[in-house]
Amino acid sequence: MLKLQGIHWNTPEGEEILKGIDLQVPEKKLTVITGPNGGGKTSLAKLIAGIYQPCAGSIVLNGEDITPLDVTQRARRGIAYAFQQPVRFKGLTVRDLLELSAGETLDEARLCGMLSTVGLCAQEYIDRSVDSSLSGGESKRIEIATVLYRRNAQLLVFDEPEAGIDLWSFSKLTEAFERLKAGGDRSIVIISHQERIMEIADCIAVVANGRVRTFGRREDILPELLLGEKQSFCPIGDPRKEVC
């Protein structure tokens, strides 16, 4: 289980982005973090992964305070992270990257299955370099595949996985998330605005203006969000916390 307690974070320029985040991510469930642009969602995801360090507060994973740990140390403890803008790796092929993630040599059938999950044909991609020759959408899908199939990952964090993904690939990706959820052996956090992704969540957290505005079961939170969208205002007022 992941617990964030009193998390504050400022940009290097001193702008306060997160203003006391308290959030408990349930174990082995799918949690979607949503909210308006600029509210702090991506910053929160990077804090969980260890890319950023909080100015105050603590991050606890399975009873261990991982606040001082860097991104590599957190990865060793089972946190996997997919960037909103994927990192490119000059000199590595798609096959290399997937095998590094899986921790083993992969045959053609396994590679095909991994890439088809994100809407790519293995024969066209396994020997391509993970560099600027790939489009943003292609890089995004390959990175998502490395996270989905990373060995020993217990907490998967996806920052807007739908960005740059075509409709068909998005449908395949949603199916992959549903299978992960059904497996019930890993915790999943997805930063997303997509209703289709929120529909498959167990829990939804709304982050706005650097704070958790509300958190609870999908069936309680999603109708309020959809109602607010239709009425062109957010119906969620004072923060509340619910057991999910």
Side-chain angles (χ1 to χ4, degrees):
M1 182 179 293
L2 180 73
K3 294 182 181 180
L4 297 99
Q5 300 170 318
I7 296 294
H8 290 259
W9 183 75
N10 299 343
T11 67
E13 296 73 29
E15 180 184 1
E16 187 179 27
I17 302 298
L18 299 180
K19 307 171 183 178
I21 292 283
D22 292 311
L23 180 64
Q24 182 170 298
V25 176
E27 188 174 8
K28 298 181 180 179
K29 291 189 178 182
L30 195 162
T31 300
V32 171
I33 299 176
T34 192
N37 290 332
K41 303 183 302 298
T42 289
S43 299
L44 183 59
K46 289 182 176 180
L47 282 160
I48 293 171
I51 298 165
Y52 293 164
Q53 288 293 325
C55 299
S58 63
I59 302 172
V60 178
L61 178 68
N62 297 328
E64 178 189 5
D65 186 348
I66 63 170
T67 311
L69 302 186
D70 62 25
V71 62
T72 301
Q73 292 168 316
R74 294 191 197 190
R76 289 172 178 159
R77 281 160 174 75
I79 297 178
Y81 177 73
F83 287 83
Q84 188 178 112
Q85 299 294 329
V87 178
R88 299 176 190 270
F89 301 92
K90 186 177 180 179
L92 282 180
T93 65
V94 173
R95 180 196 297 270
D96 293 334
L97 200 57
L98 290 173
E99 289 184 339
L100 282 170
S101 179
E104 60 182 324
T105 301
L106 302 170
D107 60 25
E108 302 296 310
R110 181 82 184 280
L111 287 164
C112 183
M114 293 169 76
L115 288 174
S116 66
T117 299
V118 292
L120 295 177
C121 173
Q123 290 184 343
E124 295 180 11
Y125 286 93
I126 56 176
D127 294 319
R128 289 186 62 179
S129 294
V130 188
D131 57 18
S132 59
S133 67
L134 296 171
S135 71
E138 289 169 332
S139 296
K140 181 83 172 181
R141 283 180 277 180
I142 290 164
E143 183 188 42
I144 289 170
T146 66
V147 172
L148 288 172
Y149 293 97
R150 213 194 87 188
R151 186 180 65 174
N152 299 330
Q154 296 302 311
L155 174 62
L156 311 182
V157 183
F158 299 89
D159 190 1
E160 296 195 20
E162 67 271 13
I165 301 288
D166 61 79
L167 185 61
W168 186 81
S169 298
F170 175 69
S171 178
K172 295 278 288 182
L173 182 60
T174 305
E175 290 173 6
F177 288 144
E178 288 183 296
R179 289 196 298 273
L180 278 173
K181 174 185 171 181
D185 59 347
R186 294 197 276 185
S187 305
I188 309 164
V189 174
I190 305 177
I191 310 296
S192 181
H193 299 283
Q194 284 287 333
E195 181 181 342
R196 180 69 187 93
I197 291 180
M198 287 189 277
E199 285 175 347
I200 66 173
D202 293 299
C203 311
I204 295 175
V206 179
V207 173
N209 194 29
R211 295 183 173 88
V212 176
R213 297 297 301 275
T214 191
F215 172 73
R217 298 178 302 171
R218 176 203 65 242
E219 51 267 40
D220 296 329
I221 302 301
L222 186 55
E224 294 186 35
L225 292 176
L226 297 179
L227 177 63
E229 185 175 283
K230 291 178 181 178
Q231 295 178 343
S232 300
F233 72 91
C234 180
I236 300 168
D238 294 334
R240 74 182 186 208
K241 302 180 181 65
E242 301 180 21
V243 176
C244 182

